[in-house]
Amino acid sequence: MLMQMKKYCNRQLPIYQAERQVIDMELRRAEPHEAEICYQCIEDARAYHKSMGFEQWHPNYPTKHTILEDIEQGTGYAFVTEQGVIGYCCIIIGDEPAYGKIDGAWKTDRPYAVVHRMAFSSRARGGRLSKAAINLIKNLCLSKQIRAIRVDTQDENKVMQHILSREGFEYCGLIQFDGGPKLAYEWDG
């Protein structure tokens, strides 16, 4: 994977780029002016989930304000292609309080990253981006010396469960998050 540096507002932000043979996509910190399009990715994912017969997120969470807070805290990331921003996720390096109690067991007790709110634009759906997206997230974490990544999802979200399993994440048990049980997965690189 190729890591480049891009200058924004007199500071350097890393950009992680997928291999060109697979797909030309990069993962970088989202900018405040991109909050609206990042939120539209959330709305597009909500509509997709609804079409699949389940609700991953409540109607009042996440909101545009949630996305803007992620961006301001430096945890909001954009997936970008030549089409512009096509996806969004929140990556937190450090403890997630909801992950402290699990009905099961995590694979590792070392420092980890958490991925929340991963969503893609409807115009990117079906573009086989999930493999590249997960690899970009793994590479970002590895570049920060983080070798474990945790993710939770709904029991009904079979697509995400398949993606996580295919990309080397293992099911670890159930956690309580956002008012209900979630399936907890961990990748231990």
Short mmCIF file of all heavy atoms in Angstrom, two decimals, residues 92-160:
data_model
loop_
_atom_site.label_atom_id
_atom_site.label_comp_id
_atom_site.label_asym_id
_atom_site.label_seq_id
_atom_site.Cartn_x
_atom_site.Cartn_y
_atom_site.Cartn_z
N ILE A 92 -11.64 4.95 15.94
CA ILE A 92 -11.18 5.41 17.26
C ILE A 92 -10.05 4.48 17.70
O ILE A 92 -10.22 3.27 17.75
CB ILE A 92 -12.32 5.36 18.29
CG1 ILE A 92 -13.47 6.26 17.83
CG2 ILE A 92 -11.81 5.76 19.68
CD1 ILE A 92 -14.75 6.08 18.63
N ILE A 93 -8.91 5.08 18.01
CA ILE A 93 -7.79 4.31 18.56
C ILE A 93 -7.91 4.45 20.07
O ILE A 93 -7.79 5.54 20.61
CB ILE A 93 -6.43 4.86 18.07
CG1 ILE A 93 -6.40 4.99 16.57
CG2 ILE A 93 -5.29 4.04 18.66
CD1 ILE A 93 -5.99 3.83 15.76
N GLY A 94 -8.17 3.34 20.72
CA GLY A 94 -8.33 3.38 22.18
C GLY A 94 -9.58 2.65 22.61
O GLY A 94 -10.30 2.07 21.80
N ASP A 95 -9.81 2.68 23.89
CA ASP A 95 -10.89 1.91 24.47
C ASP A 95 -12.27 2.42 24.07
O ASP A 95 -12.51 3.62 24.01
CB ASP A 95 -10.79 1.91 26.00
CG ASP A 95 -9.58 1.12 26.50
OD1 ASP A 95 -9.05 0.33 25.72
OD2 ASP A 95 -9.20 1.31 27.66
N GLU A 96 -13.16 1.47 23.84
CA GLU A 96 -14.58 1.74 23.64
C GLU A 96 -15.27 1.21 24.90
O GLU A 96 -15.24 0.00 25.15
CB GLU A 96 -15.09 1.00 22.39
CG GLU A 96 -16.59 0.91 22.26
CD GLU A 96 -17.27 2.26 22.20
OE1 GLU A 96 -17.09 2.97 21.20
OE2 GLU A 96 -17.99 2.58 23.17
N PRO A 97 -15.84 2.10 25.72
CA PRO A 97 -16.45 1.65 26.98
C PRO A 97 -17.44 0.50 26.81
O PRO A 97 -17.48 -0.42 27.65
CB PRO A 97 -17.15 2.91 27.50
CG PRO A 97 -16.36 4.03 26.92
CD PRO A 97 -15.92 3.55 25.56
N ALA A 98 -18.23 0.51 25.75
CA ALA A 98 -19.22 -0.55 25.54
C ALA A 98 -18.56 -1.91 25.31
O ALA A 98 -19.21 -2.95 25.47
CB ALA A 98 -20.12 -0.21 24.36
N TYR A 99 -17.29 -1.92 24.94
CA TYR A 99 -16.60 -3.17 24.67
C TYR A 99 -15.96 -3.76 25.93
O TYR A 99 -15.35 -4.82 25.88
CB TYR A 99 -15.53 -2.97 23.61
CG TYR A 99 -16.07 -2.74 22.20
CD1 TYR A 99 -17.43 -2.59 21.94
CD2 TYR A 99 -15.20 -2.67 21.13
CE1 TYR A 99 -17.91 -2.38 20.67
CE2 TYR A 99 -15.67 -2.46 19.83
CZ TYR A 99 -17.02 -2.32 19.61
OH TYR A 99 -17.49 -2.12 18.34
N GLY A 100 -16.09 -3.06 27.06
CA GLY A 100 -15.50 -3.53 28.31
C GLY A 100 -16.14 -4.79 28.83
O GLY A 100 -15.51 -5.59 29.52
N LYS A 101 -17.42 -4.97 28.53
CA LYS A 101 -18.15 -6.15 28.99
C LYS A 101 -18.66 -6.89 27.76
O LYS A 101 -19.42 -6.34 26.97
CB LYS A 101 -19.31 -5.75 29.88
CG LYS A 101 -20.03 -6.91 30.49
CD LYS A 101 -21.11 -6.46 31.46
CE LYS A 101 -21.82 -7.67 32.03
NZ LYS A 101 -22.93 -7.28 32.89
N ILE A 102 -18.22 -8.12 27.62
CA ILE A 102 -18.61 -8.93 26.47
C ILE A 102 -19.10 -10.29 26.95
O ILE A 102 -18.51 -10.88 27.86
CB ILE A 102 -17.44 -9.08 25.46
CG1 ILE A 102 -17.89 -9.84 24.21
CG2 ILE A 102 -16.22 -9.69 26.10
CD1 ILE A 102 -16.87 -9.83 23.07
N ASP A 103 -20.16 -10.75 26.35
CA ASP A 103 -20.64 -12.11 26.59
C ASP A 103 -19.90 -12.98 25.58
O ASP A 103 -20.35 -13.20 24.46
CB ASP A 103 -22.16 -12.19 26.38
CG ASP A 103 -22.73 -13.56 26.68
OD1 ASP A 103 -21.98 -14.42 27.20
OD2 ASP A 103 -23.91 -13.78 26.37
N GLY A 104 -18.71 -13.40 25.97
CA GLY A 104 -17.77 -14.08 25.10
C GLY A 104 -16.38 -13.65 25.52
O GLY A 104 -16.15 -13.34 26.69
N ALA A 105 -15.47 -13.56 24.58
CA ALA A 105 -14.10 -13.13 24.91
C ALA A 105 -13.45 -12.51 23.68
O ALA A 105 -13.57 -13.03 22.56
CB ALA A 105 -13.27 -14.32 25.37
N TRP A 106 -12.78 -11.38 23.89
CA TRP A 106 -11.99 -10.78 22.82
C TRP A 106 -10.78 -11.65 22.55
O TRP A 106 -10.31 -12.37 23.44
CB TRP A 106 -11.56 -9.37 23.21
CG TRP A 106 -12.71 -8.41 23.35
CD1 TRP A 106 -13.18 -7.86 24.49
CD2 TRP A 106 -13.52 -7.89 22.29
NE1 TRP A 106 -14.25 -7.04 24.21
CE2 TRP A 106 -14.48 -7.04 22.87
CE3 TRP A 106 -13.55 -8.07 20.90
CZ2 TRP A 106 -15.45 -6.36 22.12
CZ3 TRP A 106 -14.51 -7.40 20.15
CH2 TRP A 106 -15.44 -6.56 20.76
N LYS A 107 -10.23 -11.56 21.36
CA LYS A 107 -9.07 -12.36 20.97
C LYS A 107 -7.81 -11.89 21.68
O LYS A 107 -6.90 -12.68 21.92
CB LYS A 107 -8.85 -12.27 19.46
CG LYS A 107 -9.90 -12.96 18.65
CD LYS A 107 -9.63 -12.80 17.17
CE LYS A 107 -8.30 -13.45 16.85
NZ LYS A 107 -7.95 -13.43 15.44
N THR A 108 -7.73 -10.59 21.96
CA THR A 108 -6.51 -10.03 22.51
C THR A 108 -6.86 -8.97 23.56
O THR A 108 -7.97 -8.45 23.56
CB THR A 108 -5.65 -9.41 21.39
OG1 THR A 108 -4.47 -8.86 21.95
CG2 THR A 108 -6.38 -8.31 20.65
N ASP A 109 -5.90 -8.67 24.41
CA ASP A 109 -6.11 -7.59 25.37
C ASP A 109 -5.15 -6.42 25.09
O ASP A 109 -5.00 -5.53 25.89
CB ASP A 109 -5.95 -8.08 26.81
CG ASP A 109 -4.57 -8.64 27.11
OD1 ASP A 109 -3.72 -8.69 26.19
OD2 ASP A 109 -4.34 -9.03 28.27
N ARG A 110 -4.55 -6.44 23.92
CA ARG A 110 -3.63 -5.36 23.56
C ARG A 110 -4.42 -4.14 23.07
O ARG A 110 -5.62 -4.22 22.83
CB ARG A 110 -2.62 -5.84 22.53
CG ARG A 110 -3.19 -6.11 21.17
CD ARG A 110 -2.10 -6.38 20.17
NE ARG A 110 -2.35 -7.66 19.54
CZ ARG A 110 -1.44 -8.37 18.93
NH1 ARG A 110 -0.21 -7.95 18.87
NH2 ARG A 110 -1.74 -9.51 18.37
N PRO A 111 -3.74 -2.99 22.89
CA PRO A 111 -4.44 -1.80 22.38
C PRO A 111 -5.11 -2.09 21.05
O PRO A 111 -4.61 -2.87 20.24
CB PRO A 111 -3.30 -0.78 22.21
CG PRO A 111 -2.26 -1.21 23.19
CD PRO A 111 -2.33 -2.73 23.20
N TYR A 112 -6.27 -1.45 20.83
CA TYR A 112 -7.06 -1.74 19.64
C TYR A 112 -7.69 -0.46 19.08
O TYR A 112 -7.75 0.57 19.75
CB TYR A 112 -8.14 -2.77 19.95
CG TYR A 112 -9.14 -2.35 21.00
CD1 TYR A 112 -10.32 -1.69 20.64
CD2 TYR A 112 -8.91 -2.61 22.34
CE1 TYR A 112 -11.24 -1.31 21.59
CE2 TYR A 112 -9.83 -2.23 23.30
CZ TYR A 112 -11.00 -1.58 22.93
OH TYR A 112 -11.91 -1.20 23.88
N ALA A 113 -8.16 -0.59 17.87
CA ALA A 113 -8.95 0.46 17.23
C ALA A 113 -10.38 -0.06 17.11
O ALA A 113 -10.61 -1.26 17.06
CB ALA A 113 -8.39 0.79 15.85
N VAL A 114 -11.31 0.87 17.05
CA VAL A 114 -12.72 0.54 16.87
C VAL A 114 -13.20 1.23 15.61
O VAL A 114 -12.88 2.41 15.38
CB VAL A 114 -13.56 1.04 18.07
CG1 VAL A 114 -15.03 0.75 17.85
CG2 VAL A 114 -13.07 0.40 19.35
N VAL A 115 -13.94 0.52 14.78
CA VAL A 115 -14.54 1.11 13.59
C VAL A 115 -16.04 1.19 13.82
O VAL A 115 -16.69 0.19 14.11
CB VAL A 115 -14.24 0.27 12.32
CG1 VAL A 115 -14.91 0.90 11.10
CG2 VAL A 115 -12.74 0.14 12.12
N HIS A 116 -16.56 2.40 13.70
CA HIS A 116 -18.00 2.66 13.81
C HIS A 116 -18.48 3.34 12.54
O HIS A 116 -17.70 3.98 11.82
CB HIS A 116 -18.31 3.59 14.99
CG HIS A 116 -18.18 2.98 16.34
ND1 HIS A 116 -18.83 1.82 16.71
CD2 HIS A 116 -17.49 3.39 17.43
CE1 HIS A 116 -18.53 1.55 17.98
NE2 HIS A 116 -17.71 2.48 18.43
N ARG A 117 -19.76 3.26 12.28
CA ARG A 117 -20.45 4.06 11.26
C ARG A 117 -19.85 3.92 9.85
O ARG A 117 -19.76 4.88 9.11
CB ARG A 117 -20.50 5.53 11.68
CG ARG A 117 -21.23 5.74 12.97
CD ARG A 117 -21.35 7.19 13.36
NE ARG A 117 -20.22 7.75 14.05
CZ ARG A 117 -19.86 7.48 15.29
NH1 ARG A 117 -20.54 6.61 16.01
NH2 ARG A 117 -18.83 8.08 15.85
N MET A 118 -19.46 2.72 9.49
CA MET A 118 -18.92 2.51 8.14
C MET A 118 -20.08 2.48 7.16
O MET A 118 -21.01 1.70 7.30
CB MET A 118 -18.13 1.21 8.07
CG MET A 118 -17.39 1.03 6.78
SD MET A 118 -16.19 -0.30 6.98
CE MET A 118 -15.94 -0.76 5.31
N ALA A 119 -20.01 3.36 6.17
CA ALA A 119 -21.12 3.50 5.22
C ALA A 119 -20.59 3.99 3.88
O ALA A 119 -19.62 4.74 3.83
CB ALA A 119 -22.15 4.50 5.76
N PHE A 120 -21.29 3.56 2.82
CA PHE A 120 -20.91 3.98 1.47
C PHE A 120 -22.08 4.62 0.76
O PHE A 120 -23.24 4.28 1.00
CB PHE A 120 -20.37 2.80 0.65
CG PHE A 120 -18.99 2.40 1.06
CD1 PHE A 120 -18.80 1.45 2.05
CD2 PHE A 120 -17.90 3.01 0.49
CE1 PHE A 120 -17.53 1.11 2.47
CE2 PHE A 120 -16.61 2.67 0.90
CZ PHE A 120 -16.43 1.72 1.88
N SER A 121 -21.76 5.50 -0.15
CA SER A 121 -22.74 6.16 -0.99
C SER A 121 -23.46 5.12 -1.85
O SER A 121 -22.88 4.12 -2.25
CB SER A 121 -22.02 7.17 -1.89
OG SER A 121 -22.84 7.56 -2.95
N SER A 122 -24.72 5.40 -2.17
CA SER A 122 -25.47 4.48 -3.03
C SER A 122 -24.82 4.38 -4.41
O SER A 122 -24.89 3.34 -5.05
CB SER A 122 -26.93 4.94 -3.16
OG SER A 122 -26.99 6.24 -3.70
N ARG A 123 -24.12 5.42 -4.85
CA ARG A 123 -23.48 5.37 -6.17
C ARG A 123 -22.25 4.45 -6.17
O ARG A 123 -21.77 4.07 -7.23
CB ARG A 123 -23.14 6.77 -6.67
CG ARG A 123 -22.00 7.45 -5.96
CD ARG A 123 -21.75 8.86 -6.52
NE ARG A 123 -20.50 9.39 -6.08
CZ ARG A 123 -20.31 10.06 -4.96
NH1 ARG A 123 -21.32 10.27 -4.15
NH2 ARG A 123 -19.13 10.52 -4.64
N ALA A 124 -21.80 4.07 -4.98
CA ALA A 124 -20.64 3.18 -4.88
C ALA A 124 -21.06 1.74 -4.58
O ALA A 124 -20.23 0.84 -4.64
CB ALA A 124 -19.70 3.68 -3.79
N ARG A 125 -22.31 1.52 -4.26
CA ARG A 125 -22.78 0.19 -3.89
C ARG A 125 -22.59 -0.79 -5.04
O ARG A 125 -22.81 -0.47 -6.19
CB ARG A 125 -24.26 0.23 -3.51
CG ARG A 125 -24.71 -1.06 -2.93
CD ARG A 125 -25.70 -0.99 -1.82
NE ARG A 125 -25.77 0.21 -1.01
CZ ARG A 125 -24.98 0.48 0.03
NH1 ARG A 125 -24.03 -0.35 0.37
NH2 ARG A 125 -25.15 1.57 0.73
N GLY A 126 -22.13 -1.97 -4.70
CA GLY A 126 -21.89 -2.99 -5.71
C GLY A 126 -20.55 -2.85 -6.41
O GLY A 126 -20.23 -3.60 -7.31
N GLY A 127 -19.74 -1.90 -5.97
CA GLY A 127 -18.45 -1.67 -6.60
C GLY A 127 -17.32 -2.49 -6.02
O GLY A 127 -16.16 -2.25 -6.31
N ARG A 128 -17.65 -3.47 -5.17
CA ARG A 128 -16.67 -4.36 -4.56
C ARG A 128 -15.62 -3.58 -3.77
O ARG A 128 -14.43 -3.88 -3.82
CB ARG A 128 -16.05 -5.27 -5.60
CG ARG A 128 -17.10 -6.06 -6.40
CD ARG A 128 -16.53 -6.97 -7.43
NE ARG A 128 -15.69 -8.01 -6.87
CZ ARG A 128 -16.12 -9.19 -6.43
NH1 ARG A 128 -17.38 -9.48 -6.50
NH2 ARG A 128 -15.28 -10.06 -5.95
N LEU A 129 -16.07 -2.58 -3.03
CA LEU A 129 -15.17 -1.70 -2.29
C LEU A 129 -14.83 -2.22 -0.89
O LEU A 129 -13.86 -1.77 -0.29
CB LEU A 129 -15.79 -0.31 -2.14
CG LEU A 129 -16.10 0.42 -3.44
CD1 LEU A 129 -16.83 1.71 -3.14
CD2 LEU A 129 -14.82 0.69 -4.20
N SER A 130 -15.61 -3.15 -0.36
CA SER A 130 -15.43 -3.54 1.04
C SER A 130 -14.05 -4.11 1.32
O SER A 130 -13.45 -3.79 2.35
CB SER A 130 -16.53 -4.51 1.47
OG SER A 130 -16.48 -5.69 0.70
N LYS A 131 -13.53 -4.93 0.44
CA LYS A 131 -12.20 -5.52 0.66
C LYS A 131 -11.14 -4.42 0.72
O LYS A 131 -10.32 -4.39 1.64
CB LYS A 131 -11.88 -6.53 -0.43
CG LYS A 131 -10.54 -7.23 -0.22
CD LYS A 131 -10.34 -8.31 -1.27
CE LYS A 131 -9.24 -9.25 -0.93
NZ LYS A 131 -9.39 -10.00 0.31
N ALA A 132 -11.18 -3.51 -0.26
CA ALA A 132 -10.21 -2.41 -0.27
C ALA A 132 -10.39 -1.52 0.96
O ALA A 132 -9.40 -1.09 1.57
CB ALA A 132 -10.36 -1.59 -1.55
N ALA A 133 -11.64 -1.25 1.35
CA ALA A 133 -11.90 -0.40 2.51
C ALA A 133 -11.33 -1.01 3.78
O ALA A 133 -10.65 -0.33 4.56
CB ALA A 133 -13.40 -0.15 2.65
N ILE A 134 -11.58 -2.30 4.00
CA ILE A 134 -11.06 -2.96 5.20
C ILE A 134 -9.54 -2.98 5.18
O ILE A 134 -8.89 -2.75 6.21
CB ILE A 134 -11.63 -4.39 5.34
CG1 ILE A 134 -13.15 -4.35 5.53
CG2 ILE A 134 -10.93 -5.15 6.46
CD1 ILE A 134 -13.65 -3.79 6.84
N ASN A 135 -8.94 -3.23 4.03
CA ASN A 135 -7.47 -3.21 3.94
C ASN A 135 -6.91 -1.83 4.23
O ASN A 135 -5.87 -1.71 4.88
CB ASN A 135 -7.00 -3.72 2.57
CG ASN A 135 -7.08 -5.22 2.47
OD1 ASN A 135 -7.01 -5.93 3.46
ND2 ASN A 135 -7.27 -5.72 1.26
N LEU A 136 -7.57 -0.79 3.77
CA LEU A 136 -7.12 0.56 4.08
C LEU A 136 -7.20 0.84 5.57
O LEU A 136 -6.29 1.45 6.15
CB LEU A 136 -7.94 1.59 3.29
CG LEU A 136 -7.68 1.63 1.79
CD1 LEU A 136 -8.73 2.48 1.08
CD2 LEU A 136 -6.28 2.14 1.48
N ILE A 137 -8.27 0.39 6.21
CA ILE A 137 -8.41 0.57 7.66
C ILE A 137 -7.31 -0.20 8.40
O ILE A 137 -6.67 0.32 9.32
CB ILE A 137 -9.81 0.13 8.13
CG1 ILE A 137 -10.87 1.10 7.60
CG2 ILE A 137 -9.87 0.04 9.66
CD1 ILE A 137 -12.30 0.61 7.75
N LYS A 138 -7.06 -1.44 7.98
CA LYS A 138 -5.99 -2.23 8.61
C LYS A 138 -4.64 -1.53 8.48
O LYS A 138 -3.87 -1.44 9.44
CB LYS A 138 -5.91 -3.63 7.97
CG LYS A 138 -7.04 -4.55 8.35
CD LYS A 138 -6.90 -5.88 7.59
CE LYS A 138 -7.99 -6.86 7.93
NZ LYS A 138 -7.87 -8.12 7.13
N ASN A 139 -4.34 -1.03 7.28
CA ASN A 139 -3.06 -0.36 7.06
C ASN A 139 -2.93 0.91 7.87
O ASN A 139 -1.85 1.21 8.40
CB ASN A 139 -2.86 -0.07 5.57
CG ASN A 139 -2.51 -1.32 4.80
OD1 ASN A 139 -1.98 -2.27 5.36
ND2 ASN A 139 -2.84 -1.34 3.53
N LEU A 140 -4.01 1.67 8.00
CA LEU A 140 -3.99 2.87 8.84
C LEU A 140 -3.65 2.48 10.28
O LEU A 140 -2.77 3.09 10.91
CB LEU A 140 -5.33 3.60 8.78
CG LEU A 140 -5.50 4.73 9.79
CD1 LEU A 140 -4.60 5.91 9.43
CD2 LEU A 140 -6.95 5.17 9.87
N CYS A 141 -4.33 1.47 10.79
CA CYS A 141 -4.08 1.04 12.17
C CYS A 141 -2.66 0.51 12.35
O CYS A 141 -1.99 0.86 13.33
CB CYS A 141 -5.12 0.00 12.57
SG CYS A 141 -6.79 0.68 12.69
N LEU A 142 -2.22 -0.30 11.42
CA LEU A 142 -0.85 -0.83 11.52
C LEU A 142 0.19 0.28 11.50
O LEU A 142 1.20 0.21 12.20
CB LEU A 142 -0.59 -1.84 10.40
CG LEU A 142 -1.34 -3.16 10.52
CD1 LEU A 142 -1.18 -3.99 9.24
CD2 LEU A 142 -0.89 -3.95 11.75
N SER A 143 -0.07 1.33 10.71
CA SER A 143 0.87 2.46 10.66
C SER A 143 0.95 3.20 12.00
O SER A 143 1.91 3.90 12.28
CB SER A 143 0.48 3.45 9.55
OG SER A 143 -0.61 4.26 9.96
N LYS A 144 -0.06 3.00 12.85
CA LYS A 144 -0.09 3.61 14.18
C LYS A 144 0.26 2.59 15.27
O LYS A 144 -0.02 2.80 16.45
CB LYS A 144 -1.47 4.21 14.44
CG LYS A 144 -1.81 5.35 13.49
CD LYS A 144 -3.22 5.85 13.72
CE LYS A 144 -3.56 6.99 12.78
NZ LYS A 144 -2.82 8.21 13.04
N GLN A 145 0.86 1.47 14.85
CA GLN A 145 1.28 0.39 15.74
C GLN A 145 0.10 -0.26 16.47
O GLN A 145 0.24 -0.79 17.57
CB GLN A 145 2.32 0.89 16.77
CG GLN A 145 3.49 1.64 16.17
CD GLN A 145 4.20 0.86 15.07
OE1 GLN A 145 4.50 -0.30 15.23
NE2 GLN A 145 4.46 1.50 13.94
N ILE A 146 -1.06 -0.24 15.86
CA ILE A 146 -2.26 -0.89 16.41
C ILE A 146 -2.51 -2.14 15.58
O ILE A 146 -2.73 -2.06 14.37
CB ILE A 146 -3.48 0.06 16.36
CG1 ILE A 146 -3.22 1.32 17.18
CG2 ILE A 146 -4.75 -0.66 16.80
CD1 ILE A 146 -3.02 1.08 18.66
N ARG A 147 -2.47 -3.30 16.24
CA ARG A 147 -2.58 -4.57 15.53
C ARG A 147 -3.88 -5.31 15.82
O ARG A 147 -4.02 -6.47 15.48
CB ARG A 147 -1.38 -5.44 15.87
CG ARG A 147 -0.06 -4.78 15.50
CD ARG A 147 1.12 -5.71 15.64
NE ARG A 147 1.03 -6.85 14.76
CZ ARG A 147 1.34 -6.86 13.46
NH1 ARG A 147 1.73 -5.74 12.88
NH2 ARG A 147 1.24 -7.96 12.75
N ALA A 148 -4.83 -4.63 16.47
CA ALA A 148 -6.13 -5.24 16.72
C ALA A 148 -7.22 -4.23 16.38
O ALA A 148 -7.08 -3.04 16.67
CB ALA A 148 -6.25 -5.68 18.18
N ILE A 149 -8.28 -4.71 15.72
CA ILE A 149 -9.40 -3.85 15.33
C ILE A 149 -10.68 -4.55 15.76
O ILE A 149 -10.87 -5.74 15.47
CB ILE A 149 -9.43 -3.59 13.81
CG1 ILE A 149 -8.12 -2.96 13.34
CG2 ILE A 149 -10.63 -2.70 13.44
CD1 ILE A 149 -7.98 -2.89 11.82
N ARG A 150 -11.57 -3.79 16.41
CA ARG A 150 -12.85 -4.33 16.85
C ARG A 150 -13.99 -3.61 16.14
O ARG A 150 -13.92 -2.40 15.90
CB ARG A 150 -12.99 -4.20 18.37
CG ARG A 150 -11.96 -5.03 19.11
CD ARG A 150 -12.05 -4.87 20.61
NE ARG A 150 -11.02 -5.69 21.25
CZ ARG A 150 -10.78 -5.70 22.54
NH1 ARG A 150 -11.51 -4.94 23.36
NH2 ARG A 150 -9.82 -6.47 23.04
N VAL A 151 -15.02 -4.38 15.82
CA VAL A 151 -16.19 -3.87 15.11
C VAL A 151 -17.42 -4.57 15.69
O VAL A 151 -17.34 -5.74 16.05
CB VAL A 151 -16.10 -4.19 13.60
CG1 VAL A 151 -17.31 -3.65 12.85
CG2 VAL A 151 -14.82 -3.64 13.00
N ASP A 152 -18.54 -3.84 15.75
CA ASP A 152 -19.79 -4.50 16.12
C ASP A 152 -20.82 -4.26 15.02
O ASP A 152 -20.72 -3.30 14.27
CB ASP A 152 -20.31 -4.01 17.48
CG ASP A 152 -20.70 -2.55 17.47
OD1 ASP A 152 -21.83 -2.24 17.03
OD2 ASP A 152 -19.89 -1.71 17.91
N THR A 153 -21.78 -5.17 14.94
CA THR A 153 -22.84 -5.05 13.95
C THR A 153 -24.10 -5.74 14.43
O THR A 153 -24.06 -6.49 15.41
CB THR A 153 -22.38 -5.60 12.57
OG1 THR A 153 -23.33 -5.22 11.58
CG2 THR A 153 -22.24 -7.11 12.60
N GLN A 154 -25.18 -5.47 13.75
CA GLN A 154 -26.46 -6.08 14.05
C GLN A 154 -26.46 -7.55 13.65
O GLN A 154 -25.84 -7.94 12.67
CB GLN A 154 -27.59 -5.40 13.25
CG GLN A 154 -27.80 -3.96 13.54
CD GLN A 154 -28.48 -3.76 14.85
OE1 GLN A 154 -27.85 -3.29 15.78
NE2 GLN A 154 -29.73 -4.11 14.95
N ASP A 155 -27.26 -8.34 14.36
CA ASP A 155 -27.45 -9.74 13.99
C ASP A 155 -28.03 -9.86 12.59
O ASP A 155 -27.70 -10.77 11.84
CB ASP A 155 -28.36 -10.43 15.01
CG ASP A 155 -28.56 -11.90 14.71
OD1 ASP A 155 -27.56 -12.61 14.53
OD2 ASP A 155 -29.73 -12.33 14.63
N GLU A 156 -28.89 -8.91 12.21
CA GLU A 156 -29.54 -8.94 10.90
C GLU A 156 -28.62 -8.53 9.75
O GLU A 156 -28.95 -8.76 8.59
CB GLU A 156 -30.77 -8.02 10.89
CG GLU A 156 -31.83 -8.38 11.89
CD GLU A 156 -31.61 -7.74 13.27
OE1 GLU A 156 -30.57 -7.08 13.49
OE2 GLU A 156 -32.47 -7.92 14.13
N ASN A 157 -27.50 -7.90 10.05
CA ASN A 157 -26.63 -7.38 9.00
C ASN A 157 -25.69 -8.51 8.51
O ASN A 157 -24.49 -8.52 8.78
CB ASN A 157 -25.83 -6.18 9.50
CG ASN A 157 -25.19 -5.40 8.37
OD1 ASN A 157 -25.04 -5.90 7.26
ND2 ASN A 157 -24.82 -4.16 8.65
N LYS A 158 -26.26 -9.41 7.74
CA LYS A 158 -25.52 -10.57 7.24
C LYS A 158 -24.42 -10.16 6.27
O LYS A 158 -23.37 -10.81 6.20
CB LYS A 158 -26.47 -11.57 6.57
CG LYS A 158 -27.60 -12.06 7.44
CD LYS A 158 -27.11 -12.75 8.68
CE LYS A 158 -28.28 -13.30 9.49
NZ LYS A 158 -27.93 -13.62 10.86
N VAL A 159 -24.64 -9.09 5.52
CA VAL A 159 -23.62 -8.62 4.57
C VAL A 159 -22.36 -8.21 5.32
O VAL A 159 -21.24 -8.64 4.97
CB VAL A 159 -24.16 -7.47 3.69
CG1 VAL A 159 -23.04 -6.86 2.85
CG2 VAL A 159 -25.29 -7.95 2.80
N MET A 160 -22.50 -7.41 6.37
CA MET A 160 -21.33 -6.97 7.14
C MET A 160 -20.67 -8.15 7.83
O MET A 160 -19.44 -8.24 7.87
CB MET A 160 -21.73 -5.89 8.15
CG MET A 160 -20.54 -5.29 8.86
SD MET A 160 -19.42 -4.50 7.66
CE MET A 160 -18.51 -3.42 8.73
#
